[in-house]
Amino acid sequence: MWLKPEEVLLKNALKLWLMERSNDYFVLQRRRGYGEEGGGGLTGANREEITKHWDWLEQNIMKTLSVFDSNEDITNFVQGKIRGLIAEEGKHSFAKEDDPEKFREALLKFEKCFGLPEQEKLVTYYSCSYWKGRVPCQGWLYLSTNFLSFYSFLLGSEIKLIISWDAVSKLEKTSNVILTESIHVCSQGENHYFSMFLHINQTYLLMEQLANYAIKRLFDKETFDNDPFLDDPLQITKRGLENRAHSEQFNAFFRLPKEETLKEVHECFLWLPFSHFNTHGKMCISENYICFASQDGNLCSVIIPLREVLAIDKTNESSKSVIISIKGKTAFRFIEVKDFEQLVAKLRLKCGAASTQYHDISTEVPISSDSTDPSDNIEVRSLTCQRECSKTVNTEALMTVFHPQNLETLNTKMLKEKMKEQSWNILFAECGRGVSMFRTKKTRDLVVRGIPETLRGELWMLFSGAVNDMAANPGYYAEVVEQSLGTSNLATEEIERDLRRSLPEHPAFQSDTGISALRRVLTAYAYRNPKIGYCQAMNILTSVLLLYAKEEEAFWLLVAVCERMLPDYFNRRIIGALVDQAVFEELIRDHLPQLTEYMTDMTFFSSVSLSWFLTLFISVLPIESAVNVVDCFFYDGIKAILQLGLAILDYNLDKLLVCKDDAEAVTALNRFFDNVTNKDSPLPSSVQQGSNVSDEKSSHVRVDITDLIRESNEKYGGIRYEDIHSMRCRNRLYVIQTLEETTKQNVLRVVSQDVKLSLPELDELYVIFKKELFFSYYWCLSCPVLKHHDPSLPYLEQYQIDCQQFRALYHLLSPWAHSANRDSLALWTFRLLDENSDCLINFKEFSSAIDIMYNGSFTEKLKLLFKLHIPPAYTEVKSKDPSKGDELSEEELLYFSRLHVSKPANEKEAESVKNSPEKGKGKVDIQAYLSQWQDELFKKEENIKDLPRMNQSQFIQFSKTLYNLFHGDPEEESLYQAIAVVTSLLLRMEEVGRKLHSPTSSARGFSGAICASGESSEGKIESHLEKDPSSLREEPQWSFAFEQILASLLNEPALVRFFEKPIDVKAKLENAKTSQLSSRTKM
């Protein structure tokens, strides 16, 4: 353990202590009179711990101390660091997640230092150093649901850092000359380094989880919607995140349904009957499965579904054995299981299995009449449901229909195929057959050689875990087929278009049998998962699945691929494929450095490999070779595809290194793929795609797919699942932030054409706009997922804000936000911008208003204010609570924003509003978008003569707004006087105008200009209005045109100066950016 550093006199120390080790900064001493066995020393623990701490000091602190100039700085830094380590050790010495007292103390400090809202949940905290340039600052790192925060106060210098997780584009562990191990965080182009953690791996994993959680929640709601665990940010805890990480790893390794949660882990030994020895490993238990993986993951693994269990027994206490009997006369014996008696009781409770005697297990296990085989029931129910729901579902794999094996004409290839089948039968005899078979190194070797045609469907179901999904949902497929028949939407249209493009050269898909089966599977999946619906490449993959698996099995294999094995591959943005391409690039840098040195532009590998990942090489390899790749994929997951990709590049390395451009490299790879063969394939030559070139004389060397796969395993088999998972998490941040950056650049390019704001200013404004949208959902429990965000829409429509969010931005950014009626101004501005009345505005609409306020001419600013006080923007606003003055509550704001004052003038306009493109629902109307775009393109400059007249009540409110705007201005008095003069002038002009006309004609003339909502004001009229309000109601209402108001105001220099006063846009944006979070906290 670490002790608080205290100053001692070296003279006295020399008398009592003997030197053990020393360096430029530290000494390690042993107490005199104590032998080599004695502990003692400065750390007061055993020798092993002392040595460990000494090594840690030398590796982590020594290099850092060299950057300090004075001994005093060195002493202060070391003392601060060790105090942090003491606190860290204290924190982790408790069995509970955290010491409640220490955690409460840290929470209070966190809230005090950063001033975040109370709803911001602190997950955990760590002592560490933050590097400011080349100088480390010792402090505390706080990890909360939405932010990474750091605080340090040392030698009178305070450092405070807040980074939102959604802004993180890179998160990685790094090391360099000064830092042995640190965590690098990149946010909005700025790099931050944190080092000297006591538990750096644990810290990094938690940071990785929190960053990915934020990314999913705010950018990728397709994935998040399927993730109920993270629905409530307040429920996220350190322990919960750790348990979740373990469950995800457990499900991915054993290919279990996503719903499974890891409950218990027990170290034990499993008896391997085929090897006659016990292997050490871990027994993992979830709600519905008991799994085992040996310490060496490749040696042996077993999956036991509880639905298969017949009995659970225990033997004598000496061996602490648990024996699990399953159907098929098989039993598994786990030895040296800790707390085995409690475990047996729990497992019996879970599966309700009756206890049987151990001596019965070796012989045939008796099954009573009331405990029939559930899998038989499943098959019966499934078949019954299929007959009832749809008699057209195929119950055989297409390969057995179109290529039945003829035993009478056995050729060499067929004999090899039979030998392969025999090898698998021997393995089944040794290791069992079905979902609970032992999976060993021998299993992998047989998969690499290629699975026999007759066993392919069965083993794909087994290795992918699809067999478990199908068993848990009997009859589900037939029901979905029935429900999806006859549906018509965008997905079904795309499916119909691609049906004939799926393996068109194969006889199975030249007939109605294969085409109909493919249609049913794809349509059923689109119906099951409308968020994915249908994506190109799914047709190619499904057609291969249908060749070897029954139709229902092909459906569940597709579910396994799309929802578990290749997550996020088949959605609109194919994020999963882009992430794996980034992982692939990273592996190329590590394993083929000479290639990355030659080809500096890594985007080539992304463009060429996209089809490899999306179709599992089916689209680039001949079908007879591609199925062997699919074999490996279902056994090893994405690891098999990455390994094969590396092996292909390695094989073609010499050719790629002499290519002059990308086109030449693509040609070289395509030529290679054409020459990949499968010499053992029993498929007829009419079906084999590689057979067309196999007999021709060619200078290109033929490569057998089995050799290529074997080589990929030998060279790159060392790549671990854990490393791939970590790389996926790391690159997911980068990929999504890159997509977000692309969206931003496209939006800025469109908007910059219509505003006077510079590109850097627009960039800052976009960041503030988007951040406000995110802040609204950081602490909103009723809306855990970001609303108003749909990445499938055009760039401008992807992010939209509502009235509440607009008000917050208006307060931050508007130069008129000091006005007493600023809430009303914000509301009217929002209503003016919300032309389609959907209560949402996009960035283009938002920036157009801000641009006029910042850079508009006197006329443009006045025109904006004028339009705010006439319909459709204007509506009378009155707060329910008089004590709040003009301030509006959230409910009032939402109510007034939805209040439609004016409707479209004619039916044609109403129809165009009605038929506007739908936002994120169902089918996108492309024609409507084109029409809308064309209207915007030819939209003429608005003529001030086209503006409607302002009636009496609106003019009074307009005058009040001007008074509010002038309040606090240095020229306040002259501005008030000027507005009084203008108002009196306008009223006199109107008075003269009325005297020139008879009352009847006057009333007739004004009736068309007055809006239906225009009423005389109930409030006070300013003192300069000489007429009595009651008399005004009786007379015909007066109104003003915009030209009249403009001409009158232009005569007052004070008013012109006020509106043409230049605004420091950069300072305004910078101030808004820094105060955005604190203003949200106050709200």
Side-chain angles (χ1 to χ4, degrees):
M1 61 180 175
W2 299 92
L3 302 175
K4 188 177 176 182
E6 291 179 4
E7 194 174 349
V8 294
L9 293 172
L10 191 61
K11 196 181 288 182
N12 294 335
L14 287 172
K15 295 175 183 176
L16 299 171
W17 302 84
L18 291 171
M19 190 79 72
E20 286 267 315
R21 296 190 200 177
S22 67
N23 55 43
D24 292 345
Y25 301 100
F26 302 102
V27 290
L28 180 65
Q29 296 177 319
R30 175 170 55 83
R31 181 89 179 269
R32 278 183 186 272
Y34 287 79
E36 293 298 319
E37 301 295 317
L42 293 176
T43 49
N46 59 42
R47 178 174 288 274
E48 187 182 346
E49 192 177 349
I50 293 167
T51 307
K52 181 183 168 186
H53 286 335
W54 177 265
D55 292 341
W56 191 89
L57 284 171
E58 287 197 320
Q59 289 168 17
N60 292 276
I61 304 285
M62 285 281 290
K63 291 178 182 177
T64 307
L65 296 181
S66 59
V67 305
F68 291 104
D69 296 328
S70 68
N71 289 336
E72 188 182 352
D73 288 348
I74 291 172
T75 305
N76 284 326
F77 177 79
V78 172
Q79 286 182 335
K81 183 67 212 171
I82 291 177
R83 283 194 195 100
L85 292 172
I86 291 165
E88 189 85 4
E89 273 194 337
K91 192 176 81 167
H92 289 283
S93 63
F94 290 85
K96 295 177 186 176
E97 181 170 297
D98 285 305
D99 172 12
E101 281 304 314
K102 282 184 179 291
F103 193 82
R104 198 175 296 116
E105 190 181 313
L107 181 60
L108 289 170
K109 191 175 177 184
F110 170 69
E111 289 172 351
K112 184 183 174 184
C113 290
F114 303 105
L116 296 170
E118 290 178 8
Q119 300 96 317
E120 181 63 17
K121 173 78 184 291
L122 178 64
V123 177
T124 190
Y125 60 100
Y126 297 97
S127 165
C128 72
S129 293
Y130 171 65
W131 288 77
K132 202 171 181 183
R134 292 177 62 84
V135 180
C137 306
Q138 177 59 33
W140 290 92
L141 181 74
Y142 298 90
L143 306 181
S144 58
T145 47
N146 298 298
F147 298 97
L148 175 157
S149 314
F150 177 83
Y151 184 81
S152 170
F153 187 83
L154 204 62
L155 301 173
S157 172
E158 183 183 55
I159 293 173
K160 194 184 291 185
L161 182 73
I162 303 178
I163 300 170
S164 56
W165 290 117
D166 57 76
V168 174
S169 57
K170 187 181 278 187
L171 182 65
E172 59 184 354
K173 282 192 293 183
T174 58
S175 59
N176 56 35
V177 178
I178 296 176
L179 303 172
T180 48
E181 234 182 348
S182 64
I183 295 175
H184 170 213
V185 179
C186 181
S187 169
Q188 295 176 343
E190 293 182 7
N191 293 306
H192 307 276
Y193 292 89
F194 302 90
S195 68
M196 286 181 253
F197 292 94
L198 202 60
H199 304 280
I200 191 165
N201 290 331
Q202 183 196 64
T203 310
Y204 176 73
L205 286 172
L206 272 173
M207 289 169 76
E208 192 176 66
Q209 279 184 287
L210 286 166
N212 272 288
Y213 157 70
I215 288 288
K216 278 186 179 182
R217 185 181 177 205
L218 297 168
F219 298 123
D220 192 16
K221 62 182 180 184
E222 288 176 337
T223 312
F224 191 91
D225 282 348
N226 299 324
D227 206 341
F229 175 82
L230 298 173
D231 269 359
D232 185 354
L234 291 180
Q235 299 306 313
I236 294 176
T237 62
K238 180 184 165 190
R239 179 169 290 177
L241 287 169
E242 287 171 349
N243 291 344
R244 178 179 172 75
H246 292 148
S247 289
E248 284 177 350
Q249 196 176 356
F250 164 71
N251 290 345
F253 184 82
F254 292 108
R255 305 276 158 73
L256 300 180
K258 286 201 293 188
E259 298 75 33
E260 290 300 309
T261 309
L262 182 62
K263 298 293 185 186
E264 296 178 55
V265 178
H266 298 271
E267 281 206 30
C268 61
F269 291 87
L270 174 63
W271 171 250
L272 305 181
F274 51 88
S275 300
H276 303 291
F277 75 90
N278 293 314
T279 181
H280 181 244
K282 288 180 180 176
M283 179 200 286
C284 306
I285 300 167
S286 68
E287 293 92 340
N288 301 298
Y289 297 88
I290 302 166
C291 304
F292 177 87
S294 60
Q295 207 70 14
D296 171 11
N298 294 325
L299 185 62
C300 173
S301 65
V302 171
I303 300 165
I304 308 169
L306 294 183
R307 65 177 184 270
E308 298 283 318
V309 174
L310 294 175
I312 298 171
D313 292 280
K314 56 185 179 183
T315 59
N316 55 36
E317 290 192 13
S318 59
S319 63
K320 297 180 180 176
S321 298
V322 175
I323 298 164
I324 299 173
S325 310
I326 64 166
K327 296 164 194 170
K329 307 175 189 177
T330 309
F332 298 91
R333 191 170 83 178
F334 298 91
I335 306 164
E336 295 297 325
V337 183
K338 194 178 178 184
D339 302 326
F340 73 107
E341 290 179 342
Q342 293 95 314
L343 180 62
V344 167
K346 280 184 198 170
L347 291 176
R348 281 178 179 168
L349 208 61
K350 266 181 181 287
C351 58
S355 175
T356 58
Q357 295 301 316
Y358 179 56
H359 60 79
D360 290 334
I361 292 163
S362 56
T363 60
E364 186 169 332
V365 179
I367 304 170
S368 59
S369 59
D370 59 346
S371 63
T372 52
D373 188 337
S375 63
D376 293 342
N377 286 340
I378 288 164
E379 284 180 21
V380 170
R381 274 180 297 184
S382 178
L383 287 171
T384 308
C385 196
Q386 279 182 16
R387 287 193 202 101
E388 288 173 0
C389 297
S390 177
K391 294 178 182 178
T392 56
V393 172
N394 289 348
T395 53
E396 282 187 285
L398 294 177
M399 195 61 82
T400 59
V401 177
F402 287 89
H403 306 294
Q405 291 189 5
N406 190 351
L407 298 176
E408 294 176 4
T409 57
L410 280 177
N411 55 26
T412 316
K413 288 185 177 180
M414 287 303 296
L415 283 170
K416 282 187 178 178
E417 187 73 2
K418 288 295 165 192
M419 287 168 67
K420 273 190 194 177
E421 285 179 34
Q422 190 58 32
S423 300
W424 278 97
N425 289 330
I426 292 167
L427 181 79
F428 292 148
E430 289 179 358
C431 303
R433 185 168 186 169
V435 69
S436 298
M437 69 181 286
F438 287 95
R439 301 166 197 216
T440 63
K441 188 176 181 301
K442 191 174 179 182
T443 316
R444 178 192 295 278
D445 293 340
L446 288 178
V447 170
V448 168
R449 283 172 54 191
I451 298 174
E453 303 276 306
T454 52
L455 296 174
R456 201 159 252 144
E458 176 191 340
L459 293 174
W460 282 358
M461 287 291 288
L462 196 66
F463 297 144
S464 66
V467 65
N468 296 314
D469 294 324
M470 195 167 93
N473 298 280
Y476 174 86
Y477 174 65
E479 287 173 20
V480 174
V481 167
E482 178 80 5
Q483 290 162 1
S484 63
L485 277 176
T487 55
S488 179
N489 51 40
L490 188 63
T492 55
E493 285 177 21
E494 290 178 344
I495 289 167
E496 287 300 323
R497 188 186 63 212
D498 287 349
L499 284 175
R500 305 280 171 185
R501 302 176 188 172
S502 313
L503 297 186
E505 65 287 333
H506 199 286
F509 298 101
Q510 293 166 0
S511 74
D512 190 55
T513 308
I515 293 291
S516 298
L518 183 59
R519 179 187 291 113
R520 285 192 296 272
V521 172
L522 291 173
T523 308
Y525 186 77
Y527 184 86
R528 165 192 165 86
N529 192 341
K531 287 191 175 172
I532 290 178
Y534 170 76
C535 179
Q536 278 191 333
M538 285 170 72
N539 59 320
I540 298 170
L541 177 62
T542 309
S543 56
V544 172
L545 299 178
L546 281 165
L547 288 177
Y548 295 99
K550 296 171 187 175
E551 191 175 314
E552 185 180 7
E553 292 174 344
F555 171 79
W556 287 112
L557 283 167
L558 185 63
V559 169
V561 171
C562 294
E563 296 174 18
R564 284 204 318 273
M565 299 184 74
L566 296 178
D568 297 345
Y569 261 61
F570 302 100
N571 56 24
R572 293 185 183 99
R573 297 194 290 173
I574 58 169
I575 286 174
L578 296 175
V579 169
D580 282 344
Q581 282 184 298
V583 171
F584 186 50
E585 285 179 18
E586 204 172 317
L587 290 170
I588 293 169
R589 287 190 201 97
D590 292 344
H591 296 278
L592 300 169
Q594 61 273 51
L595 194 57
T596 51
E597 285 168 17
Y598 178 73
M599 303 184 83
T600 50
D601 184 11
M602 295 296 281
T603 54
F604 164 75
F605 298 111
S606 299
S607 59
V608 81
S609 65
L610 183 61
S611 62
W612 302 359
F613 291 97
L614 280 173
T615 66
L616 309 178
F617 286 95
I618 295 167
S619 63
V620 293
L621 286 173
I623 182 68
E624 66 275 10
S625 301
V627 289
N628 283 37
V629 178
V630 179
D631 294 342
C632 296
F633 168 74
F634 280 126
Y635 192 82
D636 268 333
I638 194 63
K639 179 174 181 277
I641 305 299
L642 293 167
Q643 286 176 186
L644 185 60
L646 288 171
I648 288 166
L649 293 179
D650 188 24
Y651 192 93
N652 292 279
L653 189 61
D654 295 337
K655 293 175 190 170
L656 292 171
L657 290 175
V658 294
C659 289
K660 296 181 180 66
D661 54 32
D662 290 359
E664 199 177 329
V666 170
T667 306
L669 287 172
N670 286 341
R671 197 174 289 129
F672 167 79
F673 287 130
D674 289 340
N675 287 281
V676 174
T677 62
N678 186 351
K679 61 179 185 289
D680 296 336
S681 174
L683 288 178
S685 57
S686 59
V687 174
Q688 291 194 30
Q689 295 169 349
S691 63
N692 300 328
V693 292
S694 61
D695 300 327
E696 297 173 13
K697 292 181 180 178
S698 173
S699 58
H700 300 289
V701 181
R702 304 245 171 262
V703 183
D704 188 71
I705 187 65
T706 310
D707 297 335
L708 193 61
I709 291 172
R710 189 180 290 114
E711 190 177 324
S712 75
N713 268 284
E714 288 170 359
K715 281 192 174 182
Y716 308 108
I719 298 169
R720 301 186 313 149
Y721 293 104
E722 296 85 350
D723 296 335
I724 292 172
H725 175 72
S726 181
M727 283 190 278
R728 271 179 159 179
C729 288
R730 188 163 64 244
N731 284 292
R732 187 181 187 82
L733 295 174
Y734 169 74
V735 165
I736 289 186
Q737 294 290 10
T738 304
L739 290 171
E740 288 297 307
E741 184 64 24
T742 304
T743 299
K744 181 175 82 171
Q745 293 306 325
N746 281 296
V747 169
L748 298 186
R749 191 174 66 247
V750 171
V751 173
S752 62
Q753 298 167 13
D754 300 326
V755 296
K756 295 173 187 172
L757 290 163
S758 66
L759 268 176
E761 288 167 351
L762 265 181
D763 194 310
E764 291 287 313
L765 191 63
Y766 183 87
V767 169
I768 294 166
F769 174 87
K770 191 166 135 185
K771 184 57 73 178
E772 185 58 41
L773 187 62
F774 287 178
F775 281 164
S776 306
Y777 295 97
Y778 277 178
W779 306 289
C780 182
L781 300 186
S782 58
C783 302
V785 181
L786 186 67
K787 279 186 177 179
H788 319 321
H789 174 226
D790 188 347
S792 67
L793 290 176
Y795 291 119
L796 276 173
E797 307 298 326
Q798 286 187 19
Y799 288 107
Q800 300 183 93
I801 57 172
D802 61 23
C803 195
Q804 175 66 18
Q805 293 151 355
F806 178 79
R807 174 171 66 172
L809 287 172
Y810 187 90
H811 289 181
L812 277 172
L813 293 163
S814 173
W816 303 336
H818 63 277
S819 172
N821 65 335
R822 62 180 187 170
D823 278 5
S824 299
L825 282 175
L827 169 68
W828 297 331
T829 309
F830 180 84
R831 287 169 60 87
L832 179 69
L833 298 173
D834 182 22
E835 291 180 7
N836 61 355
S837 302
D838 65 349
C839 297
L840 295 171
I841 63 168
N842 61 36
F843 180 70
K844 185 179 182 181
E845 294 160 337
F846 170 76
S847 59
S848 66
I850 296 295
D851 183 56
I852 292 172
M853 293 178 201
Y854 285 170
N855 301 317
S857 64
F858 173 75
T859 307
E860 287 170 332
K861 288 179 181 176
L862 195 65
K863 186 165 72 172
L864 175 62
L865 277 172
F866 183 87
K867 288 165 78 174
L868 294 184
H869 292 82
I870 57 173
Y874 179 75
T875 181
E876 286 197 32
V877 175
K878 203 169 186 180
S879 177
K880 291 177 185 175
D881 186 357
S883 64
K884 288 188 173 181
D886 290 317
E887 193 178 327
L888 297 173
S889 68
E890 190 172 339
E891 293 76 21
E892 288 169 337
L893 196 68
L894 288 172
Y895 168 75
F896 288 124
S897 69
R898 290 169 182 164
L899 200 64
H900 299 307
V901 174
S902 60
K903 293 182 180 178
N906 53 47
E907 289 181 15
K908 189 177 179 182
E909 274 186 34
E911 196 64 29
S912 68
V913 170
K914 187 180 175 183
N915 294 334
S916 64
E918 281 194 66
K919 297 189 175 183
K921 291 183 180 178
K923 192 176 173 183
V924 176
D925 190 343
I926 304 298
Q927 289 298 326
Y929 273 125
L930 288 171
S931 173
Q932 186 180 313
W933 176 66
Q934 192 174 16
D935 291 344
E936 287 178 6
L937 207 62
F938 294 107
K939 194 184 283 181
K940 292 179 181 176
E941 185 66 33
E942 187 178 36
N943 194 323
I944 58 175
K945 289 182 180 179
D946 298 333
L947 290 171
R949 295 173 71 86
M950 182 182 278
N951 70 23
Q952 177 181 321
S953 64
Q954 294 158 3
F955 180 73
I956 293 168
Q957 183 58 60
F958 177 74
S959 302
K960 285 182 179 179
T961 298
L962 289 176
Y963 272 96
N964 286 328
L965 287 179
F966 302 150
H967 182 67
D969 192 88
E971 292 188 71
E972 186 176 358
E973 285 303 318
S974 57
L975 286 166
Y976 282 164
Q977 193 175 351
I979 198 64
V981 170
V982 168
T983 310
S984 299
L985 177 64
L986 286 166
L987 286 170
R988 281 200 297 273
M989 284 166 61
E990 183 58 29
E991 189 76 25
V992 171
R994 249 183 309 166
K995 284 177 182 176
L996 293 173
H997 298 84
S998 64
T1000 53
S1001 64
S1002 176
R1004 198 184 305 119
F1006 290 128
S1007 64
I1010 297 168
C1011 183
S1013 64
E1015 297 173 1
S1016 59
S1017 176
E1018 301 270 328
K1020 290 182 181 179
I1021 299 181
E1022 307 301 330
S1023 58
H1024 61 271
L1025 296 173
E1026 296 174 349
K1027 288 189 176 284
D1028 181 48
S1030 59
S1031 65
L1032 288 173
R1033 287 194 198 98
E1034 293 163 11
E1035 296 177 14
Q1037 286 214 351
W1038 36 265
S1039 63
F1040 299 110
F1042 176 69
E1043 301 103 298
Q1044 291 176 286
I1045 296 173
L1046 176 63
S1048 304
L1049 290 173
L1050 278 170
N1051 286 326
E1052 298 296 329
L1055 292 172
V1056 176
R1057 279 198 304 276
F1058 176 82
F1059 283 108
E1060 290 192 340
K1061 198 185 295 176
I1063 295 169
D1064 187 347
V1065 179
K1066 189 178 178 183
K1068 193 80 179 167
L1069 292 171
E1070 196 58 45
N1071 183 54
K1073 205 172 176 182
T1074 52
S1075 58
Q1076 194 172 14
L1077 183 57
S1078 57
S1079 66
R1080 170 61 60 178
T1081 306
K1082 288 170 192 169
M1083 285 173 67

